[in-house]
Amino acid sequence: MNSDILREKAGKLWENYVKHEFVIKMKEGGLDLESFRYYLIQDSKYVEMMLKSLLRASSLAPLSYSTKILKSIFDTRDKGMEVHSWLLSRLGISHEEIQNTGYSLVNYAYTRHLYYYSTKSWEEFLAAWAPCMWGYYEVGKFVKDSPNELYSKWAEFYASDVYKSRVDVILEALNSIKYSESLVTPFINSVKFEIMFWESALKKEPTLIIGD
C-alpha cells in the first residue's frame, strides 16, 4: 500500500518524529509547560491553515473521497475542539493571544508547504498531509498514560477511536491512488517539518511578524 511504502521510505525519520524528545517528555510528564504553551499556540495557527489547504485540495479530489474526508473531519471536530479549548483555558491562552502571536519559522514554512500541494494535486496533497494526521495517532497512543494531566488529556483525543476514524479515511484515500515517486518528496518533507515543529517548541524559537 502507498502508506506503507511512504513510511518505509521515510525510514528513521518516522521514529524521530513520533518518538521525538518533545513527545517523550510529554509521556514522562516532564515537558516544560512554556514549551507546551508555545506548541499549542503554534498548533492552533497550523490547524487553521491546514483546514484552508484541505478545502482547497478538495476541489481537485474525486468527490467520493473529498466528501468522506471532510465529513470525518467536521463530524469529529467538536470532540477535538472540546479538548483543545480545555487546554487553552488551563494555560490561560486567549484567542487574541493566538491571533497576535506570529508564526514560528517552521510553522510558516510547513503551512505554506501544505498549501502549495493543495494547489498542485490531490494526490500530492494527501502525501503531504498524511504524516501529521497519521503520526499524531501514534503519538497519542504513546503519550496518553502520561502522569501529567495536561499531556494525558491532550493525547486522549489523538489516541481515541474518534480520531482514528479520521486517519483511516485519509489513509484509505492515499492508498486508493496510483503510486508515484512524486508522492515521496511531500511525504518525507512533512515528516521533517513535524520533527522541526517539536524542536521549535522545545526551544521556544522566535516568531515571525507576518504583514497583511
Side-chain angles (χ1 to χ4, degrees):
M1 292 191 291
N2 292 338
S3 56
D4 293 333
I5 295 170
L6 292 170
R7 182 165 169 165
E8 184 177 345
K9 285 184 176 290
K12 292 182 178 179
L13 284 172
W14 186 266
E15 189 71 7
N16 293 342
Y17 159 32
V18 299
K19 295 289 176 63
H20 190 274
E21 180 185 355
F22 186 96
V23 176
I24 292 171
K25 285 179 179 291
M26 279 200 292
K27 167 74 171 178
E28 295 173 346
L31 178 68
D32 174 45
L33 280 180
E34 286 303 310
S35 288
F36 189 59
R37 198 177 192 280
Y38 178 104
Y39 160 79
L40 284 176
I41 292 172
Q42 291 302 317
D43 187 57
S44 298
K45 301 176 82 68
Y46 167 88
V47 168
E48 182 178 350
M49 191 65 186
M50 179 268 285
L51 289 173
K52 290 180 181 178
S53 299
L54 171 60
L55 291 171
R56 176 67 182 82
S58 296
S59 67
L60 306 176
L63 188 60
S64 59
Y65 281 109
S66 62
T67 54
K68 191 172 183 180
I69 286 176
L70 290 172
K71 186 176 188 302
S72 76
I73 294 293
F74 291 109
D75 281 357
T76 61
R77 197 176 184 205
D78 285 350
K79 180 61 178 175
M81 289 300 295
E82 177 185 324
V83 173
H84 189 68
S85 295
W86 183 85
L87 289 167
L88 296 183
S89 176
R90 285 289 301 269
L91 290 169
I93 301 172
S94 66
H95 176 72
E96 290 71 26
E97 182 177 2
I98 293 169
Q99 291 301 111
N100 293 332
T101 300
Y103 280 85
S104 67
L105 182 59
V106 63
N107 197 10
Y108 186 76
Y110 191 6
T111 51
R112 273 59 191 176
H113 159 81
L114 285 179
Y115 193 78
Y116 167 73
Y117 283 108
S118 78
T119 67
K120 195 166 184 288
S121 77
W122 171 243
E123 294 80 6
E124 288 175 78
F125 173 76
L126 282 176
W129 184 38
C132 171
M133 304 301 288
W134 186 9
Y136 266 50
Y137 177 61
E138 294 193 10
V139 170
K141 289 190 296 180
F142 181 67
V143 174
K144 66 182 177 67
D145 296 323
S146 171
N148 185 301
E149 183 187 20
L150 290 174
Y151 306 148
S152 63
K153 186 74 171 178
W154 174 87
E156 179 183 292
F157 173 66
Y158 294 111
S160 69
D161 290 339
V162 169
Y163 184 78
K164 185 176 184 296
S165 69
R166 292 185 182 185
V167 177
D168 288 344
V169 295
I170 293 164
L171 294 183
E172 178 187 359
L174 179 61
N175 290 326
S176 73
I177 63 181
K178 183 178 180 181
Y179 178 77
S180 167
E181 285 295 313
S182 66
L183 303 176
V184 176
T185 295
F187 185 90
I188 289 180
N189 282 343
S190 287
V191 175
K192 290 179 179 178
F193 275 127
E194 290 290 346
I195 293 169
M196 290 187 285
F197 205 99
W198 297 135
E199 289 175 353
S200 70
L202 277 179
K203 298 173 183 175
K204 299 185 284 291
E205 292 179 341
T207 57
L208 301 170
I209 298 172
I210 308 299
D212 294 331

